[in-house]
Amino acid sequence: MSATFRLRTAVAGVLAVGLIGAAAATATATAAATGPGTGNGGNENGADAGTGGATASAAPITPGGPSAAARTNTVTADREQVRQWEEFRLRGKVTGIRAGTAVRLQQMQHGSWKTLPATSVVNRSLDYSMRVKLGIRGVNRIRTVVAGQPSDPVTVTVR
């Protein structure tokens, strides 16, 4: 069997599964649109008398993964004040983002966010940790960005 034939068979199988899933979603949406009291059993949720009334959701599935609204990125610093070039730690938690995704550190400089050379990776628990050293004295606003999702800024004062 050639590789081209196997690839075509695999693509056809994926397309068939996609068409079956779309037909099921359309049937569920149609049943939900008819309202309560309709269906084979005529009970209040529109299900057959012996099925228990469970229905599948017809929510759209995005091929690229969770939508931006489902993604969150929160970060905290272990200290609010540090000395210049003293190391401190940022800890963060994400949702809707895959483990292994890169974490970037950004600092507000002259009115815009600048990416710093500190990086980390989201672990299997969807947490991350990053050691940071800052050299600009005064109040520093920093944040992390994971998969395009920025966290709320954290303020760290450098003495």
Side-chain angles (χ1 to χ4, degrees):
M1 191 188 282
S2 71
T4 305
F5 179 75
R6 278 187 258 149
L7 177 63
R8 286 182 184 164
T9 305
V11 170
V14 170
L15 290 175
V17 171
L19 291 174
I20 291 168
T26 303
T28 303
T30 303
T34 60
T38 60
N40 295 335
N43 64 5
E44 65 186 35
N45 61 9
D48 192 0
T51 62
T55 59
S57 172
I61 299 172
T62 55
S67 67
R71 295 178 179 176
T72 62
N73 176 14
T74 57
V75 68
T76 58
D78 66 349
R79 288 181 256 164
E80 293 179 5
Q81 292 188 359
V82 294
R83 285 187 233 118
Q84 192 174 25
W85 301 113
E86 180 182 4
E87 186 176 280
F88 64 97
R89 187 170 294 273
L90 293 177
R91 287 184 172 78
K93 178 82 174 162
V94 297
T95 58
I97 297 171
R98 294 178 184 247
T101 304
V103 179
R104 305 277 183 232
L105 177 65
Q106 291 186 338
Q107 181 182 37
M108 179 61 77
Q109 294 179 6
H110 307 291
S112 64
W113 291 103
K114 304 294 182 188
T115 302
L116 301 179
T119 60
S120 184
V121 177
V122 175
N123 64 23
R124 287 190 291 179
S125 300
L126 301 181
D127 298 324
Y128 62 88
S129 179
M130 181 182 297
R131 294 182 297 201
V132 180
K133 294 180 181 180
L134 297 174
I136 299 174
R137 290 184 185 261
V139 177
N140 286 267
R141 292 180 56 208
I142 56 176
R143 70 179 185 182
T144 58
V145 178
V146 183
Q149 181 66 42
S151 67
D152 288 335
V154 175
T155 301
V156 177
T157 303
V158 177
R159 300 180 258 126

